[in-house]
Amino acid sequence: MERADVGALVRSAVDGDAAAWKALVEGLSPLVWSVVRAHRLSDADGHEVCQTVWYRFAQHLGRIREPEKAASWLASTARHECLRTLRGLSRLTVTDDPRLLDRVSEEGSPEQSLLDSEEAAEQSERTRRLWQEFDRLGDRCRQLLRVLMASPPPSYQEASAALGVAVGSIGPLRQRCLRRLRARLDAQGMS
């Protein structure tokens, strides 16, 4: 689909045009699926990612500043969802190996368990407050930092395409956003 066509369809969909929404889904689903296939997800996980991407697109439809770049937005979101799904899958290990299932616990002493749980609780609170301050940044900073936090991190060219920001502006914008976040954290006593 041409950018101008995508932009017109997005604007129509924002106004409630069901036919425009259907045309967007039909026209841009192959793009979303190409990203999913590139990450080699299972069919079930791929369908889940596609559903999530379109759901997020519907949620943000009225807030997309550059409707012509909706395809880039979808591709970037699909990539992030694929990576999130893959990270979740790496945490699960399915096994029927009795040696692993019957393994004796390797936990330390009760005192060490208490210290570990207190440390984990403190880290969890720091992380919660960090994300709370992150959510208070402007949309542009949150989008940029989320794109740059992806694993593996995208190139500046990929970030530029996903966000519609000039390649040369990404570094300075990133620095400004991180300075704002640092200032917010310092104000909360979290330096």
Side-chain angles (χ1 to χ4, degrees):
M1 295 180 77
E2 294 294 321
R3 277 185 162 199
D5 295 337
V6 170
L9 288 172
V10 169
R11 285 187 279 280
S12 294
V14 168
D15 293 335
D17 184 348
W21 176 257
K22 183 177 179 183
L24 280 169
V25 172
E26 288 174 357
L28 295 175
S29 282
L31 168 70
V32 174
W33 272 106
S34 71
V35 173
V36 170
R37 280 191 296 277
H39 286 84
R40 298 180 180 186
L41 296 176
S42 70
D43 285 342
D45 288 334
H47 283 283
E48 182 72 26
V49 165
C50 285
Q51 266 188 330
T52 301
V53 168
W54 284 107
Y55 175 72
R56 294 203 191 295
F57 186 66
Q59 281 182 313
H60 294 89
L61 191 61
R63 290 181 267 167
I64 294 177
R65 282 183 265 161
E66 298 178 86
E68 300 79 24
K69 296 181 180 178
S72 294
W73 191 97
L74 285 165
S76 177
T77 303
R79 181 174 182 271
H80 291 295
E81 287 301 318
C82 286
L83 294 173
R84 186 186 61 76
T85 299
L86 288 169
R87 278 192 302 270
L89 292 174
S90 69
R91 292 184 202 134
L92 295 176
T93 304
V94 179
T95 185
D96 60 356
D97 183 351
R99 290 174 295 154
L100 292 176
L101 295 172
D102 295 334
R103 188 172 57 190
V104 176
S105 173
E106 296 173 0
E107 291 180 16
S109 68
E111 294 84 7
Q112 187 61 46
S113 295
L114 178 63
L115 291 172
D116 291 345
S117 68
E118 287 178 351
E119 185 177 322
E122 288 175 20
Q123 179 61 34
S124 178
E125 177 61 16
R126 282 192 303 269
T127 301
R128 186 192 66 75
R129 289 175 61 194
L130 169 70
W131 283 109
Q132 186 177 34
E133 294 306 322
F134 180 88
D135 285 341
R136 291 183 177 143
L137 292 173
D139 286 340
R140 186 174 177 139
C141 280
R142 283 195 315 267
Q143 286 176 340
L144 174 73
L145 293 175
R146 279 199 170 114
V147 166
L148 295 177
M149 282 190 300
S151 177
S155 68
Y156 274 16
Q157 288 79 13
E158 290 170 317
S160 171
L163 298 169
V165 175
V167 172
S169 298
I170 292 175
L173 181 57
R174 176 179 169 255
Q175 283 182 323
R176 284 193 299 275
C177 292
L178 290 174
R179 267 192 239 117
R180 283 186 202 146
L181 181 58
R182 169 63 71 186
R184 295 187 75 83
L185 294 171
D186 287 345
Q188 295 291 323
M190 292 182 54
S191 45

